[in-house]
Amino acid sequence: MDNLMLTETIDRYLAGQMSDKERQAFQEKIEEDADLCSEVELQREVISAIRRQALRNKVNAFEQNRKKRTVAKWAAYVLVPLAVAACMAACIVLPQVDRVKQIGADVSLYAAATDEISIAYASLKGQSQVSDIILSANHLMKQQQYAKADEVLVKGLEQVATITKENVQLWYAKEDMLYMRALCAIKQHSVYRTRYLLWQVIQMNATHKDAAEQLLKQIKEGK
């Protein structure tokens, strides 16, 4: 499940649009996975903020036809709580954005990752479509074309979406692509996508698990 699909799934869950079976299964995943739980809560906060914004727009229209005393009264009960909620959301998200930017500035992290991929797949060039996709994305990352590299990796992951651990070679290739996407997301300062992709890498429990755990810790705790 990619980032967009996860967002849509959470939206359906929060909007009560899932069947009882779907909702129960997703609830179990939330209870088992602290990271997924935090993403659901973050999306809940965003939806709440959007609803508050819509309410503020209605209040603003109402205020135009009211006297100043009425305006002040509504501001005290509606606009101030909205501002407080916005500040709280900023306190959660903005520090993580800064951490992602700091990580993205680490040249050695990207040099090590891209060199490792080059060495691992150089001998496989032309032997499989997946290998060629990884090498192509790796080349784009070296050229600092992270958005294009991510597009290539998304298409590659579609080809191995149903791969299981039994197919060792493709399983590791899938993990490599997810980790490369996480690095691209960091360079694009996308906190939500970075965290989700790193979580996916960790769940695969393969080559990049330790690196992904360390990066995720840095983003969440600033360490």
Side-chain angles (χ1 to χ4, degrees):
M1 184 184 297
D2 60 24
N3 187 51
L4 179 59
M5 291 179 62
L6 177 65
T7 301
E8 293 175 348
T9 300
I10 295 175
D11 281 341
R12 291 178 58 237
Y13 171 75
L14 294 176
Q17 296 175 349
M18 288 183 171
S19 65
D20 291 342
K21 185 177 180 180
E22 287 179 309
R23 185 175 183 81
Q24 182 178 355
F26 193 68
Q27 184 66 46
E28 289 175 357
K29 289 182 179 179
I30 294 173
E31 293 173 357
E32 295 172 355
D33 191 325
D35 288 318
L36 177 59
C37 181
S38 67
E39 298 300 345
V40 172
E41 291 306 314
L42 180 60
Q43 198 156 323
R44 195 195 304 274
E45 291 175 10
V46 171
I47 293 172
S48 179
I50 292 173
R51 289 175 177 172
R52 289 193 179 96
Q53 179 64 46
L55 176 59
R56 184 175 68 175
N57 292 340
K58 291 182 180 180
V59 171
N60 287 338
F62 177 76
E63 288 173 348
Q64 294 177 3
N65 300 314
R66 299 288 294 175
K67 295 180 179 180
K68 291 183 179 181
R69 181 170 58 85
T70 303
V71 171
K73 180 179 178 180
W74 273 97
Y77 284 100
V78 178
L79 300 182
V80 172
L82 179 60
V84 172
C87 288
M88 292 177 64
C91 289
I92 295 172
V93 177
L94 291 181
Q96 294 192 9
V97 172
D98 290 337
R99 292 166 198 158
V100 167
K101 289 180 179 179
Q102 292 171 4
I103 295 170
D106 185 355
V107 177
S108 62
L109 171 66
Y110 288 84
T114 53
D115 289 346
E116 179 183 329
I117 295 296
S118 296
I119 294 172
Y121 288 90
S123 63
L124 300 174
K125 185 176 181 179
Q127 295 186 21
S128 74
Q129 190 171 4
V130 171
S131 297
D132 289 346
I133 285 173
I134 291 175
L135 288 169
S136 176
N138 187 57
H139 176 73
L140 289 169
M141 289 176 69
K142 288 184 176 181
Q143 299 298 317
Q144 299 183 12
Q145 299 183 48
Y146 300 106
K148 290 184 177 180
D150 189 65
E151 291 177 3
V152 171
L153 291 166
V154 168
K155 293 179 180 179
L157 285 166
E158 289 175 353
Q159 297 186 24
V160 295
T162 59
I163 292 299
T164 62
K165 290 183 178 180
E166 284 69 28
N167 192 328
V168 178
Q169 184 175 347
L170 287 181
W171 181 259
Y172 278 92
K174 180 178 181 179
E175 194 226 17
D176 284 334
M177 287 190 283
L178 286 171
Y179 187 65
M180 292 168 72
R181 282 202 68 200
L183 294 180
C184 290
I186 290 173
K187 279 293 187 181
Q188 296 174 84
H189 305 157
S190 176
V191 173
Y192 184 86
R193 185 153 49 95
T194 298
R195 287 180 54 179
Y196 177 65
L197 288 167
L198 289 174
W199 173 79
Q200 283 190 306
V201 172
I202 293 168
Q203 295 304 304
M204 293 195 71
N205 193 28
T207 307
H208 303 291
K209 179 181 179 181
D210 291 343
E213 287 179 338
Q214 183 61 33
L215 288 173
L216 194 57
K217 182 178 180 181
Q218 290 178 10
I219 293 169
K220 289 183 176 181
E221 302 176 8
K223 298 179 180 180

